Amino acid sequence: MHMENSAEKTVDHARLIEENDLGGRNLTGSAHKIIAGIALLWSIYQLWIASPFPFWFDFLILNDTLQRSIHLAFALGLVFLTFPATSRSRRDKIPLLDIILCLIAVSTCLYTVVNYESVVLRSGGARTDLEFFVAFAGLALLLEATRRGLGIPMVIIGVVFIGYAFLGPYMPEIISHRGLSVNRFTEHMWLSTEGVFGLPLGVSSGFIFLYVLFGSLLDKAGAGNYFIQLSFGLLGHLRGGPAKAAVISSALTGMISGSAIANVVTTGTFTIPLMKRVGFSPEKAGAIEVSSSINGQIMPPIMGAAAFLMAEFVGISYFEVITHAFIPAFISYFGLYCIVHIEALKGRMSVLERAVTYSGTQRLMRSVLTIILLSGVAFALYFLFETIGAVFGDNALIVTVLILAALYIGLIWTSRRYPEIEVDDPDAPLLKVPAALPIFLAGLFYILPIGVLVWCLMIERFSPALSVSWAILSIFVLLLTQKPLMALAHKRPVTSSLWRDGAADLVSGLIAGARNMTGVTVAMAAAGIIVGVVSATGLGLLMTEIIQTLSGGSFFLMMLLTAAMCVVLGMGLPTTANYIVVAAIMAHPFVTLAAEQGIEVPPIAVHLFVFYFGLLSGTTPPVAIDAFAGAAVARSNPLRTSLIAFVYGLRTAILPFIFVLNPALLLIGIDSAWQFAVVIGSSLLAMVIFAAGTQGYFFAKSRLWESIALVVIAILLLRPATLLDQVQPPFETQPAPALMQIADGLQGEMNVRLLAEGENLSGAIVSKKVLLTLKGDGTQDAETVLFESAGLELEPDGENLIVSNLSFGGQAQTSGLDYDWQVLALQRPVERINPNWLILPLLALVALIITLQRMRASRGPKNV
């Protein structure tokens, strides 16, 4: 498998990654060695604090505050040493000014480490002039490092929020606050774990660094190249095969990557020229790769490192996060695959020749046998390791390690029958699509570290840090032994240079992992400014009022406004910083306003909602940084590439609206295997239909009404209840006093929605819907049920009820009810037909459109 040699050569992907993620300096000599040494020391430090060694040896035991301070010190130091101040700065040396800034930045981070006791003991008291200088100098240098590493958008956001912290009294009334004093600002933002050194940086230090290091080491071992070539071997022979390979390879590499740009330029350097060769325009080729790479950031288990943040923000386990996130990510990738297929059909693209050809029956049998074999092996390994745990008890770990070692050696030995996987020459012409099976078997051992990670996370339910630590240990073994064992398997001499090469790859991977984390860590620290200001000023509550005012009480309009604000706030930001910013500002208002509409939205759905739309900013002009990187690789028009990528991303944009209204897509509320099958089947079908509708082609070129109908049908398939709600409303309205009748003698649990009206904090009369869950044992009167279940006391007021008392922190109070509010009516759910039955007439309409298009196609090209 080789790549085309044409006048339109792609740009050097290593240079793009260097400029976007690692800094733009090209240093040699002692400067290069110093930076490599700092990066290596950073990785060793992070592995040390993640291991049990500090407790075993009673050495360098650090609390969270100290760990985060040292973590940021490494990142800021590397930024000033590796990222030039401007595009005109010299790239071959480090200016004296940058060295001075590096030392000052590191000192401001380590101030708390050196003076920890005095800083902590005086928490809440007056701060010294030196501490004021340390805090403001640290913030200024952090913003400068952010400008160098991430660009100006994040700096502008940070400066705006710092200004907002001090200028609160002078802001418009709707977002005003009393303002922060210099003393409180200093402590909150720099000398505590509330601002810069808060939760985002803690997650960066505790989890994200290890997972980025895991991905870097795995790529250094050759797994990234393996995934790309395997994807092309599997799909390259299909119509539009290189584009389909880009979708799959980006999904595989995106699972372990924390950077959409790195994904674009790594896989894109290989896939984009192939897409152009088979008939995709440069803009479409770049857009497909960009869409695939951005989707890699929503694919578990890492999700661009946002999965760990999400677990902390939502307050659920990491396992639950990736469980909820998997189905939407898979559906989104499936939708993109369908778009690629339709584009290939529209363009009547050629099919590349396969190195080995099989008949249709042979391909089917080989696919079925492969699935059966892999499933059988997976189940066998599961029962094997479960049996080992039950039989060997405390010695199970030793036995498991020995079995994994034997499996690793066996896979290496099996690979000797197949050509070794090599990195292709990007300038060589493409001849044939290689057979997938030899590639799969030649590099199957690369999957072992991923298997260790998934096993520890999903089966053993270890913590994310412990799980990835075991996975990293397995990669250490792989890197150190891979080359000697491969030489032995292929009957080549095993020389000392092979062992040295393995050690060099390990050290290089440790250095690359730290260098990859530089920008991520700075982004997390800068995002901590936003989180700190939001927590100190109560901006989240103010955003609730803003969105409520603009939406006019419409939940759907509120979702649109939230989505738009997430796109705007996320422009120009990397994945992790993007999520922190949009979640800190928009997640709480979303939950609050949904509750005020009487709509119960799971918190994980809200966080995924803002996460998805924050990521879509990567393809949204004018700051579509991911799309511009793809355009650079494709040598295409950046604006057109970003616009096409935006259109391709619409399939991802509809999913958040759906899983907020239908949490079944997140595997929430699934009661049976049948319901699960219906949800997944209808969702996949909806993606096919949505792709056909947006691309204007299904079995032939679509009429306008057909495209519109297909898009509408796709949305209804994702949430069939939308159509049923128009015909048979889910609630019936009853007079307010009916609430007392329902609560009197209630046995069990019941959800009720109240239509209420009253004054808000501004004195305006507002209306809202309040969702309450009432519980009773069958012996309690209405007053007892309401107060014990919802913390609510009501008195009759004509045809309405009036709130006479509220329990602080109770359901009623947290839902937005207040003293003297009136309950105007009661809404109770009604029994109605299962919304899934509406899928049948929708499918009938799809069948009609397919029939019409096939008839047009059969009449000849003019009708197609």
Side-chain angles (χ1 to χ4, degrees):
M1 175 175 42
H2 298 288
M3 298 175 69
E4 65 175 331
N5 181 17
S6 67
E8 286 188 314
K9 292 183 179 179
T10 58
V11 295
D12 181 4
H13 73 282
R15 179 177 61 80
L16 271 175
I17 296 177
E18 183 77 18
E19 291 180 352
N20 284 285
D21 289 343
L22 305 180
R25 286 197 173 121
N26 183 21
L27 302 172
T28 58
S30 58
H32 175 75
K33 293 178 181 178
I34 290 172
I35 290 173
I38 294 172
L40 179 61
L41 183 62
W42 190 10
S43 288
I44 294 173
Y45 159 76
Q46 294 291 160
L47 290 172
W48 174 269
I49 63 174
S51 72
F53 295 147
F55 302 97
W56 289 358
F57 298 104
D58 193 23
F59 174 72
L60 208 62
I61 301 176
L62 305 173
N63 60 32
D64 288 345
T65 302
L66 301 181
Q67 288 181 14
R68 296 172 188 182
S69 299
I70 297 173
H71 183 71
L72 182 58
F74 273 113
L76 291 181
L78 284 175
V79 167
F80 285 109
L81 293 178
T82 57
F83 285 82
T86 68
S87 59
R88 297 181 180 180
S89 300
R90 291 187 61 175
R91 304 300 174 100
D92 57 349
K93 65 176 296 184
I94 304 175
L96 177 60
L97 177 60
D98 282 0
I99 296 175
I100 294 173
L101 293 177
C102 167
L103 295 175
I104 296 175
V106 171
S107 299
T108 60
C109 294
L110 298 182
Y111 177 83
T112 303
V113 177
V114 177
N115 303 280
Y116 178 73
E117 291 188 4
S118 64
V119 169
V120 172
L121 289 176
R122 288 187 293 107
S123 177
R127 291 298 171 180
T128 65
D129 291 340
L130 177 59
E131 288 171 340
F132 291 148
F133 171 78
V134 167
F136 283 91
L139 285 170
L141 290 173
L142 172 60
L143 291 174
E144 169 60 13
T146 303
R147 182 190 67 81
R148 296 187 184 200
L150 305 176
I152 200 66
M154 189 69 179
V155 177
I156 294 174
I157 293 175
V159 170
V160 167
F161 272 81
I162 291 173
Y164 176 74
F166 290 109
L167 301 176
Y170 308 102
M171 292 289 170
E173 181 179 356
I174 194 169
I175 59 170
S176 65
H177 63 95
R178 65 180 182 178
L180 301 183
S181 66
V182 174
N183 192 81
R184 187 186 175 201
F185 180 84
T186 298
E187 178 169 322
H188 193 83
M189 300 304 297
W190 198 264
L191 300 178
S192 71
T193 55
E194 298 295 330
V196 170
F197 298 98
L199 176 63
L201 197 63
V203 175
S204 174
S205 176
F207 303 133
I208 297 177
F209 188 101
L210 296 176
Y211 279 83
V212 171
L213 182 62
F214 168 73
S216 176
L217 291 169
L218 198 58
D219 185 63
K220 184 62 65 174
N225 180 57
Y226 169 68
F227 288 146
I228 293 172
Q229 297 204 38
L230 178 61
S231 301
F232 188 68
L234 287 169
L235 304 173
H237 66 285
L238 301 175
R239 192 176 301 277
K244 295 173 181 176
V247 173
I248 302 302
S249 60
S250 291
L252 294 172
T253 56
M255 289 171 62
I256 57 174
S257 170
S259 170
I261 290 179
N263 201 343
V264 167
V265 298
T266 301
T267 60
T269 301
F270 171 73
T271 58
I272 287 176
L274 292 178
M275 285 190 267
K276 291 164 65 177
R277 176 167 183 171
V278 298
F280 286 95
S281 68
E283 287 76 17
K284 288 185 177 180
I288 290 170
E289 180 57 49
V290 169
S291 299
S292 302
S293 298
I294 289 179
N295 269 85
Q297 304 299 284
I298 66 175
M299 176 62 73
I302 296 182
M303 298 167 61
F308 314 108
L309 289 163
M310 211 169 288
E312 297 292 330
F313 282 156
V314 181
I316 60 178
S317 70
Y318 169 77
F319 175 79
E320 290 176 285
V321 171
I322 60 179
T323 300
H324 294 314
F326 178 75
I327 296 301
F330 176 77
I331 290 172
S332 183
Y333 261 114
F334 181 75
L336 181 58
Y337 185 93
C338 295
I339 288 174
V340 167
H341 181 71
I342 291 173
E343 287 282 15
L345 290 176
K346 287 165 59 178
R348 293 181 172 81
M349 295 179 185
S350 59
V351 177
L352 298 176
E353 183 182 356
R354 301 183 64 166
V356 180
T357 57
Y358 301 100
S359 66
T361 303
Q362 287 176 320
R363 287 198 299 270
L364 178 62
M365 291 299 297
R366 289 171 68 89
S367 300
V368 171
L369 290 174
T370 300
I371 293 173
I372 294 174
L373 178 62
L374 291 177
S375 301
V377 170
F379 279 110
L381 289 175
Y382 174 78
F383 287 114
L384 172 63
F385 288 123
E386 286 292 304
T387 304
I388 290 172
V391 173
F392 292 95
D394 294 339
N395 297 317
L397 177 61
I398 298 175
V399 177
T400 301
V401 169
L402 292 175
I403 291 177
L404 285 175
L407 182 60
Y408 168 54
I409 294 173
L411 292 175
I412 289 281
W413 197 252
T414 300
S415 70
R416 77 188 191 280
R417 302 178 182 176
Y418 307 99
E420 294 184 58
I421 301 174
E422 298 179 353
V423 179
D424 293 297
D425 178 6
D427 295 324
L430 175 69
L431 300 177
K432 294 181 179 180
V433 177
L437 185 60
I439 297 175
F440 174 70
L441 295 175
L444 188 56
F445 56 88
Y446 288 125
I447 299 177
L448 277 178
I450 300 176
V452 170
L453 176 63
V454 173
W455 178 273
C456 292
L457 284 172
M458 308 294 287
I459 306 299
E460 297 296 338
R461 302 289 182 89
F462 291 160
S463 68
L466 180 59
S467 299
V468 77
S469 296
W470 280 111
I472 288 174
L473 181 60
S474 68
I475 300 178
F476 276 16
V477 175
L478 176 63
L479 281 166
L480 291 172
T481 62
Q482 173 187 353
K483 291 182 179 179
L485 288 178
M486 288 292 289
L488 189 63
H490 288 270
K491 298 181 179 181
R492 296 194 301 265
V494 179
T495 62
S496 59
S497 64
L498 294 176
W499 295 99
R500 288 196 300 270
D501 289 345
D505 287 341
L506 174 57
V507 172
S508 178
L510 292 171
I511 294 171
R515 295 286 301 277
N516 289 336
M517 268 301 296
T518 303
V520 175
T521 302
V522 170
M524 301 294 262
I529 297 174
I530 288 89
V531 175
V533 172
V534 170
S535 65
T537 61
L539 179 61
L541 297 176
L542 298 175
M543 288 300 300
T544 302
E545 291 192 26
I546 295 173
I547 297 178
Q548 186 178 42
T549 301
L550 294 176
S551 64
S554 167
F555 182 67
F556 182 73
L557 186 55
M558 183 204 74
M559 287 197 293
L560 288 176
L561 288 171
T562 302
M565 294 186 75
C566 288
V567 171
V568 173
L569 289 171
M571 284 185 177
L573 303 184
T575 303
T576 46
N578 182 313
Y579 169 66
I580 294 169
V581 171
V582 298
I585 300 174
M586 302 305 303
H588 178 74
F590 196 114
V591 174
T592 302
L593 292 172
E596 291 182 0
Q597 294 292 316
I599 300 172
E600 186 177 7
V601 181
I604 183 62
V606 174
H607 280 260
L608 285 172
F609 182 97
V610 298
F611 178 53
Y612 271 48
F613 279 104
L615 282 178
L616 286 175
S617 64
T619 61
T620 307
V623 194
I625 56 174
D626 300 327
F628 294 165
V633 177
R635 300 282 187 175
S636 61
N637 181 284
L639 183 58
R640 288 194 61 194
T641 302
S642 66
L643 289 174
I644 295 174
F646 177 78
V647 173
Y648 289 163
L650 289 177
R651 81 206 181 283
T652 304
I654 67 169
L655 285 174
F657 290 97
I658 300 303
F659 59 59
V660 163
L661 298 172
N662 181 22
L665 277 179
L666 304 179
L667 301 184
I668 296 175
I670 299 290
D671 300 322
S672 64
W674 168 249
Q675 186 182 5
F676 174 81
V678 170
V679 168
I680 301 303
S682 61
S683 299
L684 294 178
L685 184 59
M687 283 294 105
V688 176
I689 297 171
F690 187 82
T694 55
Q695 297 305 302
Y697 190 97
F698 205 176
F699 287 83
K701 185 177 180 180
S702 299
R703 308 291 193 221
L704 178 60
W705 74 267
E706 291 174 338
S707 295
I708 295 174
L710 288 172
V711 171
V712 172
I713 290 170
I715 295 174
L716 293 177
L717 282 173
L718 288 168
R719 188 178 183 268
T722 302
L723 184 59
L724 183 61
D725 290 347
Q726 307 304 314
V727 180
Q728 190 179 18
F731 299 96
E732 63 175 359
T733 302
Q734 297 179 350
L739 175 63
M740 308 303 291
Q741 300 172 13
I742 293 170
D744 189 23
L746 176 66
Q747 185 168 9
E749 182 177 304
M750 174 179 289
N751 292 327
V752 295
R753 291 207 314 179
L754 309 180
L755 303 181
E757 182 181 84
E759 287 189 6
N760 63 9
L761 296 176
S762 303
I765 301 297
V766 296
S767 299
K768 65 176 59 177
K769 297 174 183 176
V770 177
L771 180 66
L772 299 179
T773 301
L774 305 181
K775 299 178 182 178
D777 60 10
T779 63
Q780 300 161 312
D781 58 22
E783 289 76 11
T784 303
V785 170
L786 287 171
F787 191 76
E788 292 187 357
S789 299
L792 176 64
E793 290 185 7
L794 298 170
E795 293 181 357
D797 182 30
E799 296 182 355
N800 302 325
L801 298 172
I802 191 168
V803 177
S804 59
N805 191 22
L806 288 168
S807 174
F808 181 77
Q811 279 192 74
Q813 189 265 335
T814 55
S815 297
L817 289 181
D818 207 342
Y819 292 97
D820 296 329
W821 274 52
Q822 286 187 320
V823 177
L824 306 178
L826 166 70
Q827 287 189 330
R828 295 183 60 187
V830 298
E831 291 200 9
R832 53 183 189 165
I833 65 171
N834 190 324
N836 290 327
W837 286 111
L838 296 179
I839 293 176
L840 296 178
L842 294 175
L843 294 181
L845 184 54
V846 172
L848 173 62
I849 294 174
I850 292 174
T851 302
L852 294 175
Q853 292 200 358
R854 291 179 70 90
M855 290 173 60
R856 291 203 304 272
S858 65
R859 290 199 294 267
K862 290 184 179 180
N863 298 294
V864 180

